[in-house]
């Protein structure tokens, strides 16, 4: 049945199970927004800046594994959202982003807000297109959903001119067909991979978020235990293995290649799953592996295999099904001495983990506060960790555990923590959701708190406040050391003091209750207040005192 294009778009979204649109309105999208209110099945979530909209959608998509829909306003709105679209692209978040323009009839006039939307979006999306035929709107949207959801997942962009959506649309509405990608290598290749890996006495597993996308955490832990191999995260922003698993050693550095080289250079066999190597800002240009070490790389994204360094065997396969099949082949191939050596490595890792667990946590205010939070939240708390230099303290007390319950920023974008937590909470309203960010990062998207207040999105937020871009301090120190520069003052631009940002006042001004924690005696009252109700709440956690800053106390 023919209907206006704007209505057809909303009905297509409903057919695809889209329940939220994250957006910031504009005049050239007004026809779509005008009819949207007639459909209770889709809720429009207003963000007060486009960065917030994309970051909320990113959190929603990552925590559901489903596409999230974003509406931006023409070239200016798309321009504001591009930084977060880069984040979504690097993190393989399945976003479907639309933006409008005034209409095809005005294209030759270079009118106000005219821009090459597709050209702007192409560098930060899997696919970008513009619909020019009123009879191809829904076909294009379905292709966009399929492209976003087909591994490797990622954001897509569709430009929808106003007059195209105003026209009558006679297309049939039906759900998007998504391909099934569960697959394993042929037996001969599995046997070859097992023969390469079985003799190892110093094995290593490197993993990325392809593991989480495939729901392969259990299979990864199982093959690591069989092989007795330590596991390191690479380009990893989700819970690919339990954070407290004895074989998990943490994440490789995201800045400097020598950090990765130091970890991998002595391994006598390496299994890589669900990532490419290596994603640092300053990667090592040489191959970091031992020349005689066999490298087996398993990923559903063939483009990531041997992308930067050669491998012995590349296997295109779904990580869950592929790891299960590879473990079976490895169990058949490992001899008795190999099994004994692997069991010994696993036992040693468990002993080291027990020693680590017995060590007391540092007695910092951040540790005290996050320990109290860890005691107060349920085991299935969902955490967005943008704590950066406070992340070690966060994971000490709230380690990644359940699949799909822990997320980090990816792609180098700041400001994901608060809106990302909002997207997660919208997707999982019955869960406790905690977003932890820094003072510098939070200021990129602090207006997201207004969205939390407007819709009663009861996520909880912690701003780790050290009055600096502390990560930049650490990075520039290494930069200076590498070049032999002598000591000198840190750049003034890294300093957020002496006028300490007033996060409690900012939060309250945006409609969210807040307290400051700056002394040990503030911890327990703040945590009790934080989880006393289902409303959004923010804690300004002072992790370092600002020089010469007067104390500010906030009633609970």
């Amino acid at each position: 049945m023919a209907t206006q294009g704007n209505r057809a778009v909303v009905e297509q979204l409903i057919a695809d199970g889209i329940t939220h649109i994250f957006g910031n309105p504009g005049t050239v999208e007004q026809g779509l927004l005008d009819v949207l209110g007639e459909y209770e099945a889709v809720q429009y979530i207003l963000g007060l800046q486009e960065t917030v909209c994309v970051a909320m959608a990113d959190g929603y998509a990552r925590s559901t594994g489903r596409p999230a829909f974003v509406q931006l306003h023409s070239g200016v709105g798309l321009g504001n959202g591009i930084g977060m679209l880069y984040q979504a692209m690097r993190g393989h978040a399945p976003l479907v982003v639309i933006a409008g323009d005034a209409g095809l009839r005005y294209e030759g006039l270079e009118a106000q807000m005219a821009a090459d939307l597709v050209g702007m979006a192409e560098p930060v999306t899997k696919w970008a297109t513009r619909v020019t035929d009123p009879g191809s709107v829904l076909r294009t949207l379905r292709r966009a959903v399929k492209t976003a959801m087909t591994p490797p997942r990622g954001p897509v962009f569709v430009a929808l001119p106003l007059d195209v959506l105003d026209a009558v649309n006679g297309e049939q509405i039906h759900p998007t067909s998504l391909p099934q990608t569960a697959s394993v290598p042929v037996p001969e290749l599995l046997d070859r991979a097992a023969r390469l890996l079985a003799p190892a006495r110093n094995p290593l597993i490197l993993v990325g978020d392809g593991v989480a996308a495939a729901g392969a955490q259990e299979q990864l832990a199982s093959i690591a235990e069989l092989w007795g191999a330590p596991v390191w995260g690479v380009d990893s922003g989700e819970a690919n293995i339990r954070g407290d698993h004895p074989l998990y050693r943490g994440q490789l550095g995201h800045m400097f290649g020598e950090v990765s080289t130091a970890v991998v250079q002595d391994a006598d066999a390496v299994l890589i799953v669900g990532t490419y190597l290596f994603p640092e800002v300053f990667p090592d240009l040489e191959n970091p592996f031992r020349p005689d070490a066999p490298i087996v790389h398993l990923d559903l994204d063939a483009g990531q295999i041997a992308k930067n360094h050669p491998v012995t065997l590349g296997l295109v396969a779904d990580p869950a099904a592929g790891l299960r099949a590879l473990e079976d082949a490895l169990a058949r191939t490992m001899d008795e001495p190999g099994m004994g050596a692997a069991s010994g490595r696993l036992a040693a890792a468990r002993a080291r983990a027990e020693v680590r667990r017995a060590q007391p946590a540092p007695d910092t205010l951040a540790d005290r506060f996050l320990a109290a939070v860890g005691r107060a939240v349920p085991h299935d708390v969902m955490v967005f960790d943008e704590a950066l230099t406070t992340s070690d303290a966060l994971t000490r007390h709230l380690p990644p555990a359940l699949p799909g319950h822990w997320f980090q920023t990816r792609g180098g974008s700041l400001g994901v923590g608060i809106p990302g937590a909002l997207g997660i909470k919208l997707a999982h309203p019955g869960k406790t959701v905690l977003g932890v960010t820094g003072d510098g990062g939070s200021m990129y998207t602090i207006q997201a708190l207004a969205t939390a207040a407007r819709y009663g999105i009861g996520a909880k937020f912690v701003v780790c406040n050290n009055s600096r871009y502390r990560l930049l301090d650490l990075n520039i120190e290494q930069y200076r050391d590498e070049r032999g520069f002598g000591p000198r003052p840190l750049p003034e631009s890294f300093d957020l003091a002496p006028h300490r940002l007033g996060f409690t006042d900012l939060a309250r001004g945006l409609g969210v209750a807040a307290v400051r924690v700056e002394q040990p005696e503030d911890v327990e009252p703040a945590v009790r207040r934080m989880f006393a109700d289902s409303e959004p709440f923010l804690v300004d956690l002072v992790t370092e005192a600002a020089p010469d800053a007067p104390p500010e106390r906030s009633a609970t």
Side-chain angles (χ1 to χ4, degrees):
M1 179 179 173
T3 186
Q4 189 198 37
N6 290 300
R7 296 182 186 279
V9 167
V10 179
E11 291 170 13
Q12 178 62 48
L13 297 183
I14 294 171
D16 276 326
I18 303 293
T19 56
H20 296 81
I21 295 177
F22 301 92
N24 185 270
T27 52
V28 296
E29 298 86 18
Q30 59 193 350
L32 177 64
L33 302 178
D34 191 35
V35 303
L36 185 60
E38 301 174 18
Y39 295 85
E40 295 183 358
V42 181
Q43 183 181 14
Y44 189 89
I45 303 296
L46 173 67
L48 299 188
Q49 209 267 4
E50 290 82 0
T51 300
V52 172
C53 304
V54 179
M56 283 194 294
D58 181 84
Y60 187 97
R62 290 173 67 182
S63 66
T64 60
R66 293 289 303 155
F69 199 83
V70 182
Q71 172 266 317
L72 304 178
H73 173 47
S74 193
V76 290
L78 176 59
N80 284 341
I82 276 178
M84 281 299 170
L85 277 175
Y86 176 79
Q87 149 94 8
M89 180 186 70
R90 291 300 302 248
H92 304 295
L95 309 186
V96 178
V97 181
I98 65 165
D101 60 44
L104 298 177
R105 73 183 79 176
Y106 307 114
E107 188 164 342
L109 300 178
E110 285 194 79
Q112 177 78 355
M113 292 192 296
D116 179 5
L117 301 181
V118 173
M120 291 173 65
E122 280 180 331
V124 292
T125 56
K126 281 185 69 178
W127 179 58
T129 191
R130 183 178 187 230
V131 179
T132 57
D133 180 1
S136 293
V137 174
L138 305 189
R139 178 183 294 108
T140 303
L141 286 178
R142 286 191 291 268
R143 181 180 172 188
V145 170
K146 182 179 84 73
T147 302
M149 287 295 294
T150 301
R153 294 175 178 175
V156 298
F157 173 79
V158 180
L160 293 172
L162 179 66
D163 49 9
V164 170
L165 291 188
D166 279 344
V168 173
N169 186 292
E171 294 178 271
Q172 183 180 2
I173 297 168
H174 58 80
T176 300
S177 300
L178 301 178
Q180 297 298 313
T181 57
S183 58
V184 298
V186 296
E188 293 82 359
L189 291 177
L190 289 168
D191 290 341
R192 182 183 169 196
R195 290 194 299 271
L196 289 168
L197 300 177
R201 293 298 182 267
N202 189 25
L204 184 68
I205 299 177
L206 304 175
V207 301
D209 287 337
V211 172
Q217 292 93 338
E218 181 180 339
Q219 291 84 355
L220 172 64
S222 183
I223 197 171
E225 291 167 10
L226 170 70
W227 202 27
V231 177
W232 287 85
V234 181
D235 199 29
S236 176
E238 300 194 9
N240 296 302
I241 188 171
R242 288 185 62 95
D244 57 1
H245 193 286
L247 288 170
Y248 182 56
R249 297 290 182 84
Q251 297 201 46
L252 297 181
H254 82 285
M255 285 295 298
F256 302 103
E258 58 263 30
V259 175
S260 299
T261 296
V263 169
V264 308
Q265 62 188 356
D266 295 326
D268 60 357
V270 181
L271 173 62
I272 306 162
V273 188
T275 184
Y276 77 98
L277 302 180
F278 283 98
E280 301 98 347
V281 177
F282 304 106
D284 195 333
L285 297 177
E286 302 298 324
N287 187 346
F289 298 107
R290 272 175 44 173
D292 62 339
I295 312 294
V296 176
H297 194 161
L298 188 152
D299 202 318
L300 194 55
D301 182 2
Q304 303 302 326
I305 296 174
K307 181 176 180 177
N308 292 327
H309 299 291
V311 303
T312 312
L313 179 61
L315 302 174
V316 179
D318 169 70
L323 285 174
R324 189 182 302 113
L326 180 57
E327 181 185 356
D328 291 343
L330 192 57
R332 294 192 304 269
T333 306
M334 293 174 67
D335 58 19
E336 188 172 338
M339 285 287 194
S343 296
R345 293 191 294 268
L346 177 58
R350 286 172 171 159
R352 287 192 297 269
E354 287 297 326
V355 171
R356 286 195 302 271
R357 277 193 286 269
Q359 293 175 344
D363 188 24
T364 67
L365 185 60
D367 276 281
R368 289 191 181 194
F369 176 79
L370 293 168
V373 170
R375 293 189 295 268
V377 297
H379 79 284
D380 62 349
V381 60
M382 302 183 77
V383 177
F384 201 113
D385 171 12
E386 196 190 22
L388 299 181
T389 53
T390 311
S391 188
D392 285 347
L394 176 60
T395 53
R396 265 193 296 275
H397 304 289
L398 289 162
L402 299 177
H405 283 66
W406 180 84
F407 307 89
Q408 279 192 318
T409 181
R410 301 181 292 192
S413 300
L414 286 178
V416 193
I418 292 176
L422 291 179
I424 294 168
K425 183 65 175 178
L426 279 169
H428 303 277
K431 294 288 187 75
T432 298
V433 176
L434 180 68
V436 185
T437 184
D439 49 347
S442 68
M443 289 304 297
Y444 284 68
T445 52
I446 195 70
Q447 62 269 64
L449 294 176
T451 300
R454 179 188 181 105
Y455 299 102
I457 307 171
K460 312 298 180 178
F461 311 101
V462 179
V463 177
C464 300
N465 188 346
N466 57 23
S467 297
R468 297 195 61 81
Y469 290 120
R470 178 61 71 199
L471 187 61
L472 296 183
D473 292 346
L474 301 176
N475 290 341
I476 201 170
E477 287 172 3
Q478 181 161 348
Y479 168 84
R480 290 171 173 177
D481 288 344
E482 288 174 350
R483 288 154 178 80
F485 297 162
R488 68 183 78 179
L490 292 166
E492 188 275 335
S493 58
F494 294 4
D495 187 7
L496 300 178
H499 304 293
R500 186 190 290 278
L501 297 169
F503 287 104
T504 54
D505 291 337
L506 284 168
R508 291 168 187 155
L510 293 167
V512 172
V515 299
R516 171 170 285 176
V517 171
E518 53 185 336
Q519 301 293 336
E521 58 266 27
D522 299 335
V523 168
E524 293 297 338
V527 172
R528 284 196 301 271
R529 174 63 187 86
M530 188 180 195
F531 297 106
D533 57 37
S534 60
E535 296 300 310
F537 191 83
L538 181 141
V539 171
D540 177 9
L541 175 63
V542 179
T543 58
E544 296 179 32
D548 303 319
E552 176 184 330
R553 303 300 294 274
S554 176
T556 59

